[in-house]
Amino acid sequence: MPRVFCIANQKGGVGKTTTAMNLAVALAKAGLRTLLVDLDPQCNATTGMGQKPTERHPLVVETPLREAARPTSTPRLDLVPGTRSFRDVAMLAQEDSTQADRIRQQLVQGFGAYDMVLIDCPPSVGQLTRTALASASEVLMPIQCEYFAMEGLAQMIDVIRQVMHTDGCQLQFGGILLTMYDPSLELTWEVEKEVRDFFGEIVFQTVVPRDVAVAEAPSHGKSVLDYAPRSRGTRAYVELCMEVLERDE
Ligand code: ADP
Ligand code: MG
């Protein structure tokens, strides 16, 4: 069975999509067959990988994931693109447990061909995020080093716990990642201390620095690893990749 990471945080702009894309590319470059699933209606992971969103969402029209997954410019990395169809997005977000179950099964059935799956979630604790969590083996939560970083996390953690306690669920806490880390700011140190004191060893040693190369890369349809191989951002995501692989017990 593949390791399936759900990249989730109900806040927007914390680095979910950036982490999903760059960690996926790093894992594929490390030799693992990797699938990136774009579940956010904003489709940032799709466009950031230099691809186009689809007309209809494969999970709504029930296209098997194997057919919906497209190869990317990175060997061993496939992408299930997102859609901007409002109707499909609304369908996916519906609180309908039969449909949620069907979507979860469709996801899980498509994961078999991969070693690693990363799901980029929308910034909410709505049905789509819960379905993604239920399909995953690990939740990876990026936290931005800024004031209010921990605000609203209680609700997210509640939802994660609820999903963990449902029958047959494999979900574990895969890790917390500090993003947009700026050691020149006192605030960064304060947030880091608060997060590490609260969450303990599930917080990754690796932190992702604030680096303009990380922000620029998606506008070139590339990961930071391909756009700026020697940047600090690249070094951080390669290090994160190794830490993720080490945590596989
Ligand atoms: P989310 O998916 O959680 O909404 P994104 O990954 O889209 O967050 O990141 C939000 C914004 O911050 C984007 O414009 C992205 O390019 C930028 N960003 C993310 N990580 C970094 C970083 N380490 N350094 C600089 N900019 C970053
Ligand atoms: Mg995003």
Side-chain angles (χ1 to χ4, degrees):
M1 279 303 285
R3 289 174 74 187
V4 181
F5 290 89
C6 184
I7 321 291
N9 185 327
Q10 80 202 84
K11 278 196 182 192
V14 299
K16 288 184 292 297
T17 301
T18 303
T19 297
M21 289 192 310
N22 291 311
L23 180 57
V25 169
L27 288 164
K29 284 183 190 289
L32 294 138
R33 293 168 304 167
T34 306
L35 177 68
L36 174 61
V37 182
D38 187 359
L39 275 194
D40 187 350
Q42 293 181 46
C43 304
N44 293 338
T46 303
T47 53
M49 296 296 293
Q51 304 228 5
K52 283 207 178 74
T54 48
E55 293 288 319
R56 303 294 311 276
H57 202 284
L59 292 173
V60 173
V61 294
E62 304 192 32
T63 312
L65 229 53
R66 224 172 287 123
E67 287 167 34
R70 303 176 187 163
T72 66
S73 54
T74 305
R76 290 178 296 278
L77 176 60
D78 290 350
L79 169 76
V80 174
T83 186
R84 291 207 175 100
S85 154
F86 286 118
R87 198 171 44 141
D88 287 3
V89 167
M91 282 272 284
L92 290 173
Q94 253 173 31
E95 301 220 7
D96 170 339
S97 61
T98 316
Q99 185 195 259
D101 216 47
R102 182 193 62 71
I103 294 174
R104 187 181 57 76
Q105 278 177 21
Q106 194 186 340
L107 281 168
V108 173
Q109 277 166 12
F111 293 164
Y114 299 93
D115 303 310
M116 294 286 193
V117 179
L118 286 85
I119 308 175
D120 185 28
C121 285
S124 86
V125 287
Q127 184 58 58
L128 197 50
T129 296
R130 278 179 277 149
T131 304
L133 285 168
S135 325
S137 54
E138 296 169 59
V139 51
L140 198 164
M141 193 156 72
I143 292 184
Q144 188 182 351
C145 294
E146 55 144 35
Y147 200 56
F148 294 138
M150 303 273 278
E151 193 101 319
L153 276 191
Q155 197 191 359
M156 184 78 229
I157 288 165
D158 257 8
V159 169
I160 292 169
R161 287 224 177 92
Q162 279 166 26
V163 174
M164 279 176 173
H165 288 122
T166 48
D167 281 345
C169 182
Q170 311 278 313
L171 189 67
Q172 294 186 346
F173 232 117
I176 287 181
L177 176 68
L178 293 164
T179 63
M180 294 177 238
Y181 190 94
D182 183 348
S184 70
L185 299 178
E186 182 138 358
L187 179 62
T188 292
W189 296 90
E190 285 168 17
V191 172
E192 177 172 26
K193 183 174 185 325
E194 193 183 357
V195 171
R196 289 196 190 277
D197 284 352
F198 189 80
F199 289 106
E201 60 184 29
I202 63 170
V203 185
F204 288 106
Q205 287 301 315
T206 307
V207 297
V208 180
R210 190 176 279 285
D211 177 0
V212 67
V214 173
E216 283 171 358
S219 68
H220 299 266
K222 288 180 175 177
S223 71
V224 70
L225 288 80
D226 293 297
Y227 174 68
R230 291 175 192 283
S231 64
R232 288 179 309 137
T234 292
R235 226 175 299 147
Y237 277 109
V238 169
E239 215 177 284
L240 175 68
C241 171
M242 293 194 287
E243 212 181 335
V244 162
L245 294 176
E246 275 166 16
R247 281 188 182 194
D248 184 21
E249 65 290 68

